[in-house]
């Protein structure tokens, strides 16, 4: 929903028309109904920064009062349309294991991306690199297309788009500092903002970082095609070059994405666990609930959601969604149980 939100927001800032305010409210509500509060907060904050910059750089001075009024209307409408989900969500969160108390800065700061992984993801092709995690490294990276740097620089050729280029370049740099977590003071400053202590994992800001990179690449291709068009004297070379670059970037990006969930066609019958374990679980006549404990080690070919994937059981085993009664059930006295990593101490449980 982020491109749709920015599209509607830019239309509102540039034209000050009611239709863009209604579209912005609709897209905001739909993105909230996507069911991912953490990313919704990130998108709202990003759109807020875009709105402030655009209000002074895009909106005509004589239209600013009308834009402010329409933005307020869009906010009220969006909040009203969100209420059927927001109210029960708040009601349930009070009964969840984390509640609304928030996390400490050390807990909220992990997992994050190592500085080397971030830099190499921008400057060269990658092997597997490690992301920071409290109890040891796990595989993780944030990679941009191989042509990112030259194409991003070509964005300076796009007259009329240089302000947008500067916004996404500065935003990408700022977000890059945030996803480094405790390696820089940037995330500690961000943590002081309202609501940010409710979520953990600076690595989840990577989607905004990659989005800014995509916008820079797109502006760069536009600038390069404009330059070629000016030199080709009516020949179609600019269009051909733009299409070829687009295909190269798309193909390179696909090849750099190695997640099973992103490449299901490359992993036939990927069931999240070894075949022997799946067969063992299928043969259990009672189908009692099974809890996997991995001690936070990265296990290739094994997913903690293997039971749900194969239809054995479905349990709310992610800590923020874990009801407080689960903590009593397991006699839990430690920190929040991440992803169902709970040890059953008594035989009758």
């Amino acid at each position: 929903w982020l491109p749709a939100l920015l599209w509607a927001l830019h239309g509102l800032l540039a034209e000050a028309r009611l239709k863009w305010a209604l579209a912005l409210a609709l897209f905001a509500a739909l993105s909230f109904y996507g069911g991912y509060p953490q990313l919704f907060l990130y998108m709202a904050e990003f759109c807020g920064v875009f709105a402030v910059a655009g209000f002074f750089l895009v909106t005509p001075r004589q239209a600013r009062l009308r834009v402010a009024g329409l933005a307020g209307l869009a906010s009220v409408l969006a909040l009203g349309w969100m209420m059927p989900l927001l109210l029960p969500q708040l009601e349930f969160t009070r009964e969840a294991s984390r509640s609304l108390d928030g996390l400490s800065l050390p807990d909220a700061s992990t997992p994050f991306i190592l500085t080397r992984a971030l830099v190499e993801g921008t400057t060269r092709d990658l092997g597997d690199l490690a992301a920071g995690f409290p109890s040891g490294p796990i595989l993780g990276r944030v990679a941009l297309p191989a042509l990112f740097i030259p194409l991003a620089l070509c964005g300076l050729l796009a007259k009329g788009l240089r302000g947008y280029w500067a916004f996404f370049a500065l935003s990408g740099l700022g977000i890059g500092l945030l996803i480094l977590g405790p390696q820089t003071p940037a995330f500690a400053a961000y943590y002081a903002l309202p609501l940010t202590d409710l979520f953990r994992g600076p690595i989840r800001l990577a989607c905004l970082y990659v989005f800014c990179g995509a916008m820079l690449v797109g502006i760069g291709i536009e600038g390069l095609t404009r330059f070629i068009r000016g030199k080709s004297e009516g020949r179609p070379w600019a269009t051909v070059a733009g299409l070829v670059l687009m295909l190269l970037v798309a193909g390179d990006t696909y090849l750099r994405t190695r997640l099973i969930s992103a490449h299901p066609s490359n992993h036939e019958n990927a069931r999240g666990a070894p075949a022997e374990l799946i067969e063992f679980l299928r043969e259990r006549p009672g189908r009692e609930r099974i809890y996997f404990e991995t001690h936070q080690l990265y296990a290739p070919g094994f997913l903690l959601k293997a039971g749900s994937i194969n239809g054995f059981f479905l349990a709310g085993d992610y800590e923020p969604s874990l009801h407080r009664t689960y903590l009593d059930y397991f006699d839990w006295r430690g920190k929040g149980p991440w992803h169902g990593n709970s040890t059953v101490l008594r035989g009758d449980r």
Side-chain angles (χ1 to χ4, degrees):
W1 291 107
L2 182 58
L5 285 167
L6 290 180
W7 177 55
L9 182 56
H10 183 270
L12 176 60
L13 292 169
E15 300 179 14
R17 298 177 65 179
L18 178 62
K19 69 174 185 178
W20 291 116
L22 296 176
L24 180 60
L26 177 62
F27 293 149
L30 290 174
S31 64
F32 182 75
Y33 278 100
Y36 203 155
Q38 183 171 5
L39 288 191
F40 177 79
L41 175 64
Y42 293 159
M43 288 193 299
E45 292 171 336
F46 186 79
C47 289
V49 174
F50 184 85
V52 171
F55 187 77
F56 294 101
L57 300 177
V58 177
T59 303
R61 187 181 299 271
Q62 66 274 14
R64 286 179 181 173
L65 183 60
R66 177 175 172 81
V67 166
L70 289 174
L73 174 64
S75 300
V76 172
L77 285 175
L79 185 62
W81 290 339
M82 293 175 191
M83 282 300 170
L85 176 61
L86 179 59
L87 291 178
Q89 195 172 62
L90 292 174
E91 182 181 2
F92 174 82
T93 302
R94 290 184 302 177
E95 302 298 325
S97 58
R98 187 185 294 177
S99 186
L100 294 172
D101 299 332
L103 298 168
S104 66
L105 179 58
D107 286 339
S109 299
T110 53
F112 54 89
I113 290 289
L114 292 179
T115 304
R116 177 188 169 191
L118 188 67
V119 172
E120 292 189 348
T122 306
T123 57
R124 69 177 182 85
D125 197 6
L126 292 180
D128 289 329
L129 294 170
F133 201 73
S135 59
I138 59 174
L139 297 183
R141 60 187 180 171
V142 180
L144 295 174
L147 297 175
F148 169 73
I149 292 180
L151 287 178
L153 292 176
C154 287
L156 295 173
L157 299 173
K159 294 181 180 180
L161 298 178
R162 291 171 184 168
Y164 300 102
W165 183 94
F167 173 82
F168 288 111
L170 292 174
S171 297
L173 179 62
I175 295 167
L177 292 174
L178 290 180
I179 63 179
L180 295 177
Q183 298 172 96
T184 74
F187 187 80
Y190 172 76
Y191 173 82
L193 296 177
L195 302 179
T196 54
D197 63 344
L198 294 178
F199 306 105
R200 69 183 185 96
I203 193 174
R204 295 185 179 125
L205 281 159
C207 60
L208 293 179
Y209 175 80
V210 173
F211 177 79
C212 290
M215 294 300 295
L216 291 175
V217 168
I219 295 173
I221 292 177
E222 176 68 16
L224 187 59
T225 54
R226 287 183 185 182
F227 177 79
I228 296 174
R229 187 174 294 114
K231 301 292 184 180
S232 60
E233 298 179 352
R235 297 177 182 178
W237 301 122
T239 302
V240 172
L243 290 174
V244 170
L245 286 172
M246 182 184 68
L247 292 174
L248 286 175
V249 169
D252 177 65
T253 303
Y254 182 83
L255 292 175
R256 285 168 178 254
T257 307
R258 301 176 186 171
L259 299 176
I260 292 178
S261 57
H263 281 184
S265 61
N266 291 351
H267 301 271
E268 184 178 359
N269 298 324
R271 304 309 302 167
E276 296 83 358
L277 176 58
I278 295 175
E279 183 179 355
F280 168 76
L281 292 174
R282 289 194 187 282
E283 291 177 353
R284 298 182 73 86
R287 293 283 177 89
E288 63 270 30
R289 181 171 295 175
I290 304 296
Y291 284 87
F292 298 127
E293 184 175 24
T294 62
H295 300 285
Q296 295 186 340
L297 297 177
Y298 178 76
F302 179 80
L303 300 175
L304 289 173
K305 304 296 183 182
S308 301
I309 291 174
N310 293 280
F312 300 129
F313 52 81
L314 181 63
D317 64 346
Y318 182 52
E319 186 268 341
S321 300
L322 201 64
H323 199 272
R324 289 183 181 274
T325 53
Y326 275 82
L327 304 184
D328 298 333
Y329 181 80
F330 285 113
D331 292 330
W332 192 266
R333 296 295 181 266
K335 289 186 176 181
W338 304 115
H339 291 281
N341 289 333
S342 305
T343 300
V344 181
L345 301 179
R346 288 167 47 180
D348 61 345
R349 298 190 180 185

